[in-house]
């Protein structure tokens, strides 16, 4: 009996020991004390957790108490993440250069890409579908229908031949996606590197291009990085020189060209001419209907509908290089930066976020 008892307790101890080791191995992420300096995207999930995307070190989760870092060692497709999305069920999706990772709160799973006969060569628009880039070198987006990622291809832009004739040795695709946006009508907009905006309304795909949206006064090619439809239904693209009234009616006789009317925008009162209007990397609308826009090295700009106000962002004496602006569920504004971590608006100024 004593021997049997000893063997029994030995098996119990072994079982719980193995179970404990298994649980330890299945625990994802590691608790860290601080964020990377390069944070490209921010998201607050439905459980009020904040997620911060690092340029090359994975993603961070802040639950209000601790900061947890998740990397490819935990199942993330790549440590280089482009952005975050959340579906109606609270699952998170991380768009990376190597694929899309779905996180259900327990594990990361890389979404499968449709192949062969399963490839969806037609464009569809469903309110529950999600759209991804998977890098920035492709010729179209990926549509996720809950089962597969469907690789899609943009229809040929009227400017493609012109681009290749002017850039015969270009090492990148002019169709590379820099930004994606869903307007108030549910239309999808894709900002490309060199061909302007592509809009999909569920029935047709059309293009919008103006050189002043793409080319900076210094001659650089800015690309289509920011877009928003304001509370009045006007669209803003990359800068505030003009606002655009978009029509779904193709009265211009060009079925592949977006029909729009350009209207005067808002200029900086201190600027000498409209060519000095800053170009924006990211833009949001606050709860008061004001637009907030960020530049790379000229701080944050706010438009109240009549004038622009600049908020310089400094880290001590150093200039903070900005990448994105985000509004959380409480209406608070956050900044993702290239060189100084995360900043948060306190109602008057942007201050560095500290744990």
């Amino acid at each position: 009996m004593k021997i049997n008892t000893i063997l029994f307790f030995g098996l119990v101890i072994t079982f719980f020991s193995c179970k404990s080791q298994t649980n330890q191995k299945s625990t994802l992420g590691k608790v860290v004390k601080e964020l990377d300096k390069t944070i490209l995207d921010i998201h607050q999930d439905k459980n009020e957790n904040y997620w911060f995307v690092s340029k090359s070190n994975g993603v961070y989760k802040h639950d209000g108490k601790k900061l947890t870092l998740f990397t490819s060692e935990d199942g993330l497709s790549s440590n280089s993440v482009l952005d975050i999305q959340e579906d109606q069920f609270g699952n998170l999706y991380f768009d990376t250069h190597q694929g899309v990772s779905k996180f259900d709160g327990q594990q990361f799973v890389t979404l499968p890409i449709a192949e062969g006969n399963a490839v969806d060569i037609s464009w569809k628009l469903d309110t529950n579908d999600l759209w991804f880039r998977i890098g920035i070198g492709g010729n179209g987006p990926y549509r996720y229908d809950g089962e597969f990622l469907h690789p899609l291809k943009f229809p040929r832009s009227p400017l493609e031949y012109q681009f290749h004739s002017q850039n015969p040795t270009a090492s990148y695709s002019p169709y590379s996606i820099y930004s994606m946006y869903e307007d108030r009508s549910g239309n999808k907009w894709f900002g490309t590197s060199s061909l302007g905006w592509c809009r999909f309304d569920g029935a047709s795909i059309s293009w919008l291009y103006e050189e002043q949206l793409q080319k900076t006064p210094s001659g650089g090619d800015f690309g289509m990085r920011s877009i928003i439809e304001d509370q009045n239904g006007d669209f803003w693209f990359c800068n505030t020189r003009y606002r655009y009234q978009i029509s779904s009616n193709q009265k211009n006789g060009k079925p592949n060209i977006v029909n729009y009317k350009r209207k005067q925008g808002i200029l900086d009162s201190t600027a000498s001419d409209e060519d000095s209007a800053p170009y924006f990397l990211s833009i949001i609308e606050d709860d008061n209907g004001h637009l907030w826009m960020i530049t790379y090295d000229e701080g944050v700009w706010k438009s109240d509908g009549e004038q622009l106000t600049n908020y310089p962002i400094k880290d001590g004496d150093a200039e903070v290089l900005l990448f994105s602006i985000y509004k959380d569920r409480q209406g608070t504004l956050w900044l993702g930066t290239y060189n100084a971590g995360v900043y948060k608006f306190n109602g008057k100024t942007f201050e560095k976020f500290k744990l």
Side-chain angles (χ1 to χ4, degrees), residues 234-259:
D234 291 329
F235 283 78
W236 302 81
F237 304 114
C238 299
N239 63 69
T240 58
R241 289 184 207 143
Y242 305 103
R243 68 190 82 191
Y244 294 78
Q245 185 177 10
I246 305 298
S247 173
S248 58
N249 191 348
Q250 295 295 340
K251 292 182 179 179
N252 55 17
K254 301 176 181 179
N256 64 333
I257 302 297
V258 174
N259 188 23

Side-chain angles (χ1 to χ4, degrees), residues 158-168 170-175 193-195 215 221:
L159 298 174
E160 180 182 337
Y161 291 120
Q162 178 181 329
F163 171 83
H164 286 301
S165 64
Q166 295 176 349
N167 305 274
S171 60
Y172 65 95
S173 168
Y175 293 96
S193 63
S194 303
L195 301 173
K215 305 289 185 181
D221 199 345

Side-chain angles (χ1 to χ4, degrees), residues 60-295:
Y60 296 85
K61 174 186 175 182
H62 183 49
D63 62 6
K65 296 180 180 179
K66 65 180 183 297
L67 183 68
T68 305
L69 172 64
F70 301 93
T71 68
S72 57
E73 294 182 358
D74 301 300
L76 196 62
S77 299
S78 168
N79 289 336
S80 180
V81 182
L82 296 167
D83 54 40
I84 313 170
Q85 296 185 59
E86 186 173 3
D87 68 17
Q88 58 183 327
F89 305 108
N91 298 308
L92 296 175
Y93 298 81
F94 301 91
D95 195 352
T96 83
H97 290 273
Q98 303 299 321
V100 178
S101 292
K102 175 183 176 180
F103 183 62
D104 62 4
Q106 301 296 323
Q107 63 178 345
F108 290 93
V109 176
T110 300
L111 300 184
I113 297 176
E115 298 179 355
N117 294 331
V119 173
D120 185 359
I121 60 175
S122 64
W123 289 63
K124 296 180 180 180
L125 200 57
D126 188 289
T127 55
N128 294 323
D129 287 350
L130 300 176
W131 298 73
F132 301 96
R133 289 181 282 175
I134 308 184
I136 57 173
N139 292 314
Y142 290 78
R143 180 177 62 83
Y144 180 58
D145 61 4
E147 184 176 6
F148 290 101
L149 287 165
H150 298 274
L152 304 175
K153 186 177 181 179
F154 288 127
R156 179 166 290 170
S157 163
L159 298 174
E160 180 182 337
Y161 291 120
Q162 178 181 329
F163 171 83
H164 286 301
S165 64
Q166 295 176 349
N167 305 274
T169 61
S171 60
Y172 65 95
S173 168
Y175 293 96
S176 294
I177 300 174
Y178 279 4
S179 59
M180 297 188 296
Y181 178 73
E182 181 176 316
D183 66 25
R184 298 177 188 272
S185 299
N187 303 315
K188 297 291 183 179
W189 292 79
F190 305 93
T192 68
S193 63
S194 303
L195 301 173
W197 293 98
C198 183
R199 185 190 68 173
F200 177 48
D201 62 10
S204 61
I205 305 172
S206 48
W207 294 91
L208 187 157
Y209 177 88
E210 284 191 355
E211 188 170 283
Q212 60 90 14
L213 296 178
Q214 187 84 34
K215 305 289 185 181
T216 65
S218 61
D221 199 345
F222 188 74
M224 300 292 97
R225 300 178 184 271
S226 63
I227 173 178
I228 197 168
E229 180 185 9
D230 66 22
Q231 61 182 359
N232 298 317
D234 291 329
F235 283 78
W236 302 81
F237 304 114
C238 299
N239 63 69
T240 58
R241 289 184 207 143
Y242 305 103
R243 68 190 82 191
Y244 294 78
Q245 185 177 10
I246 305 298
S247 173
S248 58
N249 191 348
Q250 295 295 340
K251 292 182 179 179
N252 55 17
K254 301 176 181 179
N256 64 333
I257 302 297
V258 174
N259 188 23
Y260 67 90
K261 179 181 180 181
R262 186 175 67 188
K263 302 186 292 185
Q264 185 62 47
I266 301 171
L267 298 177
D268 178 15
S269 60
T270 64
S272 58
D273 56 66
E274 67 176 35
D275 285 340
S276 61
Y279 280 70
F280 304 116
L281 290 166
S282 180
I283 181 172
I284 60 95
E285 186 176 46
D286 69 18
D287 292 342
N288 296 315
H290 300 153
L291 299 181
W292 293 77
M293 302 148 282
I294 61 107
T295 63

